Amino acid sequence: MNKNLLKTQNKNKSFYFIANWKMQLTLNEESNFVDLNLQNFKKLSSKKNIQIILCPSFLNIRSLSKLFKSTNIKIGAQNCSSHIKGAYTGQISAQSLSDTYCQYCIIGHSECRKEYKESNNEIFKKFESLISQNISPIICIGENLEENKSGRTLDILEKQLVEIFKYLLKRNENKVNKVKILIAYEPIWAIGTGITPTINSLNKTFAWLKQQTKNIPFINWKLLYGGSVNSKNVFDLKQINNLSGFLIGGSSLDFQEFEKVVIL
Ligand code: PGA
């Protein structure tokens, strides 16, 4: 298909662009980055078929929620506690996030699974508390290189999602709060490495994910890709079938680069 035709097709699709700033900037640096690009962010977010979600550090969530309140930009957190309340020093509950008007929350990021030894069961509990607070979970899943090479990708993804799917299947339509649920497929070997899977293999993975989510049709599912998304590969990545958007780390820290990722 010719590139101009694909470009028009890309423009007609609607995509989520979720900026995961991780702990790359200090609180002041994040605020300066936003101040410097405030009008640019607002302009970018007003484009058709685009939803931008910024995930700053916990400490900036409340102020950015206020700053972008009457705009099309939404604010998300990068993690939350699996507990509702109690003696959990240093943790932040889903309810506290809701108090800061945060509308999305990343859970199960591979960096958290590794660094804090988060289990699938713990991630499921985070999922449950977010749903109870009407916060949309962005569930990160993905295999490591060895699992990928040995053809076990879908088995790993299934293990990471099974508890969440079981829970949703047991609840009926009316009992699940009407929040969107986002699944971000992020192969661990693609995060921050500059390497991405082939479009062919991504099409297969997303076809499988789509099939799984079809079993729970009353949920508004969004399927995202994450891992080394940049202005050079995003045009091709936008061709993945069944894709609703991207979770973006490094490329979200430079406004010009982020803008290209959104508009290309
Ligand atoms: P990256 O990070 O875009 O820098 O690869 C993505 C992520 O970790 O969510």
Side-chain angles (χ1 to χ4, degrees), residues 138-191:
I138 303 165
I139 311 154
C140 296
I141 54 170
E143 81 289 0
N144 65 30
L145 192 57
E146 188 262 313
E147 290 158 345
N148 179 279
K149 290 226 159 105
S150 56
R152 284 184 291 143
T153 298
L154 299 186
D155 290 344
I156 299 296
L157 303 189
E158 190 172 9
K159 282 202 184 90
Q160 291 171 336
L161 289 169
V162 68
E163 262 184 285
I164 291 173
F165 284 157
K166 265 195 204 154
Y167 165 88
L168 290 172
L169 278 167
K170 263 196 268 148
R171 323 246 329 176
N172 69 37
E173 196 162 344
N174 304 324
K175 283 204 185 128
V176 181
N177 289 337
K178 296 273 175 284
V179 292
K180 281 182 217 89
I181 299 180
L182 300 85
I183 300 178
Y185 170 54
E186 298 204 303
I188 298 171
W189 48 277
I191 297 176

Side-chain angles (χ1 to χ4, degrees), residues 20 22 24 106 109-111 140 186 190-194 226-229 247-251:
N20 177 10
K22 308 190 181 185
Q24 302 286 15
I106 297 171
H109 193 284
S110 59
E111 287 152 14
C140 296
E186 298 204 303
I191 297 176
T193 58
S228 292
V229 176
L247 182 54
I248 307 156
S251 298

Side-chain angles (χ1 to χ4, degrees), residues 26-77:
T26 64
L27 186 66
N28 286 346
E29 285 167 346
E30 275 185 356
S31 307
N32 291 341
F33 178 57
V34 171
D35 286 348
L36 199 68
N37 293 296
L38 188 57
Q39 296 314 322
N40 291 335
F41 270 123
K42 286 186 184 169
K43 209 164 136 206
L44 188 61
S45 70
S46 64
K47 289 194 183 299
K48 216 175 95 195
N49 295 335
I50 281 169
Q51 177 63 69
I52 293 177
I53 300 163
L54 303 178
C55 302
S57 65
F58 284 124
L59 295 175
N60 247 333
I61 293 177
R62 191 191 280 266
S63 60
L64 293 198
S65 295
K66 278 190 190 153
L67 192 65
F68 288 111
K69 196 169 171 219
S70 51
T71 75
N72 196 24
I73 293 192
K74 309 277 182 240
I75 304 302

